[in-house]
């Protein structure tokens, strides 16, 4: 095909000997490096952009981008509308895959596992930290459901804003019951590092026993062909 641009990926790669002791430490290290690079060079916009794939009850796949808001031994987590398409699909099957991709660093992380709902306490703690306008939108928008036009959406926003005026207090807008989030309890985490001539590194951390992403004994390392 003419006009196709072939970019050779001159990344650092990832060797087994350089892997952190746990999947959590490794992912957190790469995320911190992506955030630091964005701060320094500005070529990793939204380093926490997380593609989340789900399947509906009929097996039809779906994917969208959210922001990684939680990362600990229990897995990566994000906030969303509990009535959204993604939440309905997650509730139907439990299965979820997610990926973080930093193209300018030739790095990607893939998570596969089962979704668990975020606890209401952690949802509430997160919600109060959001700007007032975002909290109002959580009331105004019923994510993924149809709306006749922008005007209807803005009227819903104005209605919620009048109901919960901005007092400057984190408690001025209650958490909507239908707003929350999900965490991916992982059984596999793949670290992809692009290298020259398409001979990339793919290290797969596969679950071999119970334990979190922060429990080294729960994981074995395999290498996959690129
Ligand atoms: C960079 C970026 C960040 C986003 N962050 C979120 C988020 O954290 N939570 C969310 O529900 N939607 C987020 N969205 C919107 C989703 O991509 C999507 O439109 C929405 O969640 C509805 O998806 P669904 O209908 O498949 O449930 C984000 C979109 C982009 C491009």
């Amino acid at each position: 095909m003419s006009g196709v641009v072939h970019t050779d990926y001159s990344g650092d790669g990832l060797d087994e000997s350089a892997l952190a002791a746990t999947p959590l430490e490794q992912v957190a290290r790469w995320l911190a490096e992506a955030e630091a690079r964005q701060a320094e060079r500005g070529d990793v916009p939204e380093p926490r952009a997380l593609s989340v794939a789900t399947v509906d009850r009929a097996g039809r796949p779906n994917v969208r981008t959210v922001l990684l808001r939680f990362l600990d031994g229990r897995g990566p987590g994000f906030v969303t509308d509990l009535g959204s398409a993604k939440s309905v699909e997650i509730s139907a099957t439990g299965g979820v895959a997610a990926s973080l991709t930093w193209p300018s660093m030739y790095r990607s992380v893939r998570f596969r596992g089962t979704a668990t709902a975020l606890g209401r306490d952690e949802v509430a703690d997160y919600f109060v930290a959001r700007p007032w306008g975002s909290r109002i939108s959580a009331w105004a928008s019923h994510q993924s459901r149809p709306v006749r036009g922008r005007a209807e959406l803005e009227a819903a926003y104005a209605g919620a804003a009048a109901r919960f005026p901005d007092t400057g207090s984190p408690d001025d807008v209650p958490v909507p019951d239908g707003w929350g989030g999900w965490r991916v309890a992982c059984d596999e985490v793949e670290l992809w590092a692009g290298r020259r001539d398409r001979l990339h590194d793919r290290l797969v951390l596969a679950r071999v026993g119970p334990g979190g992403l922060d429990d080294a004994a729960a994981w074995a390392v395999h290498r996959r062909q690129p």
Side-chain angles (χ1 to χ4, degrees), residues 46 49 62-67 69 78-81 84-87 89 143-144:
E46 297 292 14
N62 206 351
V63 66
R64 78 291 287 160
T65 304
V66 300
L67 290 178
R69 290 300 190 194
F78 57 92
V79 294
T80 194
D81 187 319
S84 65
K86 77 182 81 51
S87 294
E89 289 158 7
Q143 193 176 59
S144 312

Side-chain angles (χ1 to χ4, degrees), residues 121-179:
D121 288 356
E122 53 190 336
V123 167
D125 287 349
Y126 178 80
F127 192 76
V128 295
R130 286 168 78 93
W132 175 80
S134 304
R135 286 179 283 135
I136 290 297
S137 282
W139 280 92
S141 165
H142 301 286
Q143 193 176 59
S144 312
R145 274 144 288 191
V147 62
R148 269 187 294 274
R150 178 87 203 171
E152 186 176 309
L153 204 52
E154 288 179 0
Y157 183 92
R163 189 171 164 203
F164 307 115
D166 186 2
T167 65
S169 153
D171 300 327
D172 49 13
V173 186
V175 188
D177 286 344
W179 196 88

